[in-house]
Amino acid sequence: MQSAILYIGAALAEIAGCFAFWAWARMGRSPLWLIPGTASLLIFAWLLTLVDTAQAGRAYAAYGGIYITSALLWLWLAEGVRPDRWDLTGAALCLIGAAVIFFGPHRG
């Protein structure tokens, strides 16, 4: 459960940080948006180090499914674009893959 909370927090931090850069570069917002954006990306990276797995690559791979799902939620809630059935199907497949990676009985 703690890993799930960390992954969700990391996803929110990564999306917020990336959106701050998007807002500056693509939406003409002030360069001051880069300050909280950078801080948010640092928090994202730190949160991933707290996930309970011995290998960084597995933590990052399993996180991918959470990130994709969170990005689609951002699309819907922040940008007002409702994900379609293809988005939802893709997210479901990614979450299944993330679960296999995270919970699989790995050797060492």
Side-chain angles (χ1 to χ4, degrees):
M1 182 64 163
Q2 181 182 354
S3 292
I5 292 168
L6 290 170
Y7 277 141
I8 291 167
L12 292 174
E14 183 179 15
I15 291 169
C18 289
F19 184 76
F21 278 76
W22 180 278
W24 165 70
R26 303 278 303 264
M27 298 170 70
R29 300 289 168 89
S30 164
L32 293 175
W33 276 64
L34 300 176
I35 296 169
T38 300
S40 188
L41 290 172
L42 290 170
I43 291 168
F44 148 71
W46 173 69
L47 287 172
L48 280 186
T49 68
L50 302 178
V51 173
D52 187 26
T53 185
Q55 295 82 21
R58 284 204 181 107
Y60 305 155
Y63 166 72
I66 303 299
Y67 178 78
I68 290 167
T69 303
S70 299
L72 290 174
L73 283 171
W74 179 274
L75 174 72
W76 187 12
L77 299 175
E79 298 183 55
V81 177
R82 188 175 185 151
D84 63 24
R85 65 183 172 151
W86 299 106
D87 295 323
L88 299 176
T89 301
L93 290 170
C94 291
L95 286 172
I96 291 167
V100 169
I101 291 167
F102 191 79
F103 295 112
H106 301 286
R107 291 183 250 160

